[in-house]
Amino acid sequence: MLNNLTIQTIIAASFGIGLALLFGNPDWLEARNPLYDCILLLKSVFLSSLRMLIAPLIFFSLINGITGIGNTIRLKRLGGVTISYYLVTTSIATVLALIAVFFIHPWTAYPPVMETVAISDNRLLDPNADSITLVVSGLLTQAFTNPFSALVDLNILGIVTNAFLIGLGMVLVLPADSPLFRSIRDINQVIAKILGWVIRLLPIGIFAILFDFTLKTAADSGHSAAFLNQLLHFSLLVISITLAHGMLVLPAIAYFFTGTTPVRLFRNIARPMLVAFSTSSSSATLPITMRAAEENLKIPPTVSSFVLPLGATMNMDGTALFEALAAVFLAYLFGIELTTIMIFTIFMMAMVASIGAPGMPSASMAGMQMVMLAVGIPLEAIAILLVIERPLDTIRTAVNVEGDLVGALFVSSRLR
Ligand code: ASP
């Protein structure tokens, strides 16, 4: 059931922890040691290569998303219904996550573990802005920045605003068959390929991250036990909310809007969901998803051939839900207090990041960094998520694919 990368990552993780426990020496933290230096090098190269992709990935995939939406709306009803369904269900998933984490946050029983780490200065909101006008003017200044400096400074709001305006301009000015649309799609494919290479390095990155982490915490076993508990609680919450969305919310939508009972739904979509679970990739599952839609759910090919490929790249309920929960979790671990505006920022950024993530294994890790930057969580924190990322990706990808299929059912019933 598990794909290779997952198995490799689990082996690498055990190797990292085991090696640090058996041969690691806490003195290495003070005095330099060539082996430990090499491991730290691997860790920082891996994290830097992930960070390298944030700006181009978000910028181009958003332009692609906006032009995709624009060209889709030209298709009038089909496009409008599809996009509305995608946006509404992704918002439901994200709000569900944020409401749940408001009530259930067992990790707060332990103190934040990373208090000492400095808060990132790329944060969207100025913590000293004490009036709404200052907050708004700070946001607007960041939003309307020239695209080059926004990309260089990793100014997320600037990148998102520029991508949105460029995409909108393209849709309004260029004919639908303009080569520029194609070029943007091509650039996206190239970036996705590079992201794929970086993700191939995940086992090496995880090995180095866990070796370093174990060495730092082995001396203080109480501390590491607390941290492992926090990680476990977080993972269980992610799994429960993802399952709630997949087993309750989406089947309820299918039942109330299309009359498909949950039993019929799951019987007909079990195969693509299993493939998504085992490949952790909505895009790789697409052929199976299309087949289940047409053969089992009897969705007309005119609808499925349009709704499903679009959904595989832009409709990711599980991903948005995960990113929102992860941001709240990491904010706690780093001792960052979240205001209402920051929670709203997390909501918006998780939505944007899920639209921007390609349907590949661990793809949301690049966009996740954008959500983190927005609220001032240091990018290093991504290492914490990477530790538990692979098993969680399986379930969220299955729910992503389920969301696309329910979307196809919904759209075909609306257009009947
Ligand atoms: N693996 C997910 C998908 O393909 C994307 C992600 O959340 O990483 O749908």
Side-chain angles (χ1 to χ4, degrees):
M1 294 282 288
L2 292 173
N3 60 57
N4 271 343
L5 185 62
T6 308
I7 296 176
Q8 290 165 11
T9 312
I10 293 171
I11 296 175
S14 332
F15 208 51
I17 297 174
L19 219 61
L21 288 176
L22 289 177
F23 303 107
N25 181 345
D27 294 344
W28 293 351
L29 297 172
E30 313 293 331
R32 301 192 71 88
N33 169 284
L35 174 71
Y36 185 49
D37 280 351
C38 285
I39 289 176
L40 287 183
L41 178 79
L42 290 179
K43 174 179 159 176
S44 70
V45 168
F46 176 70
L47 290 177
S48 311
S49 52
L50 202 56
R51 189 171 319 153
M52 166 182 91
L53 290 169
I54 310 176
L57 182 89
I58 299 297
F59 187 66
F60 286 106
S61 64
L62 275 183
I63 298 185
N64 197 27
I66 303 291
T67 54
I69 292 177
N71 286 332
T72 306
I73 286 175
R74 285 183 180 154
L75 293 171
K76 298 275 175 348
R77 225 132 162 247
L78 181 59
V81 175
T82 309
I83 301 293
S84 318
Y85 166 87
Y86 285 163
L87 292 180
V88 169
T89 48
T90 309
S91 318
I92 294 177
T94 320
V95 169
L96 186 70
L98 290 172
I99 293 179
V101 78
F102 187 72
F103 292 106
I104 315 168
H105 36 72
W107 49 83
T108 50
Y110 305 96
V113 273
M114 321 278 169
E115 272 165 318
T116 45
V117 180
I119 287 176
S120 151
D121 31 320
N122 290 72
R123 62 195 311 181
L124 264 187
L125 304 165
D126 176 2
N128 301 319
D130 51 2
S131 79
I132 192 80
T133 355
L134 279 183
V135 171
V136 173
S137 87
L139 288 178
L140 290 181
T141 321
Q142 286 184 60
F144 298 106
T145 312
N146 96 56
F148 300 101
S149 67
L151 286 166
V152 170
D153 300 339
L154 262 186
N155 165 359
I156 296 302
L157 198 57
I159 296 177
V160 171
T161 313
N162 276 291
F164 180 78
L165 293 177
I166 293 172
L168 192 65
M170 281 172 65
V171 171
L172 293 178
V173 170
L174 302 177
D177 57 355
S178 158
L180 198 54
F181 290 118
R182 216 201 122 88
S183 311
I184 297 280
R185 274 201 302 278
D186 288 348
I187 295 177
N188 265 300
Q189 281 190 5
V190 173
I191 297 175
K193 184 81 195 158
I194 301 175
L195 178 63
W197 291 334
V198 172
I199 287 167
R200 288 299 311 162
L201 298 178
L202 195 60
I204 299 179
I206 290 289
F207 163 77
I209 289 167
L210 283 183
F211 183 96
D212 181 42
F213 178 77
T214 313
L215 195 68
K216 283 187 178 135
T217 52
D220 177 0
S221 53
H223 176 97
S224 56
F227 176 67
L228 286 180
N229 263 323
Q230 288 175 316
L231 267 189
L232 186 72
H233 290 152
F234 167 68
S235 308
L236 290 178
L237 186 66
V238 171
I239 293 173
S240 323
I241 308 296
T242 313
L243 287 179
H245 188 74
M247 311 288 278
L248 301 173
V249 177
L250 290 174
I253 293 177
Y255 182 68
F256 288 117
F257 291 97
T258 73
T260 313
T261 60
V263 175
R264 178 169 173 246
L265 178 72
F266 285 114
R267 194 160 3 101
N268 288 316
I269 67 170
R271 180 172 298 171
M273 282 185 75
L274 272 175
V275 175
F277 180 89
S278 48
T279 57
S280 293
S281 164
S282 312
S283 299
T285 312
L286 189 58
I288 318 281
T289 315
M290 306 263 297
R291 201 156 159 188
E294 288 163 21
E295 287 181 6
N296 305 351
L297 295 171
K298 308 287 178 234
I299 293 169
T302 39
V303 172
S304 64
S305 62
F306 167 77
V307 176
L308 294 173
L310 190 70
T313 51
M314 78 160 271
N315 179 46
M316 297 193 181
D317 297 2
T319 301
L321 181 159
F322 169 75
E323 298 197 351
L325 276 181
V328 175
F329 173 66
L330 291 178
Y332 176 75
L333 286 193
F334 283 80
I336 298 171
E337 213 162 306
L338 294 174
T339 59
T340 315
I341 298 186
M342 283 160 101
I343 295 197
F344 182 69
T345 311
I346 292 180
F347 168 80
M348 292 304 291
M349 288 296 151
M351 294 275 297
V352 171
S354 76
I355 295 175
M360 296 159 46
S362 297
S364 54
M365 286 300 102
M368 182 67 225
Q369 301 184 84
M370 164 178 133
V371 186
M372 291 161 52
L373 275 176
V375 281
I377 302 168
L379 285 180
E380 282 63 34
I382 197 78
I384 296 176
L385 290 187
L386 285 171
V387 174
I388 40 170
E389 150 60 20
R390 296 299 313 147
L392 297 180
D393 195 9
T394 52
I395 301 179
R396 72 168 184 262
T397 308
V399 170
N400 287 345
V401 167
E402 181 190 356
D404 299 342
L405 281 158
V406 173
L409 262 179
F410 176 84
V411 173
S412 77
S413 78
R414 291 294 100 177
L415 297 184
R416 214 167 272 150

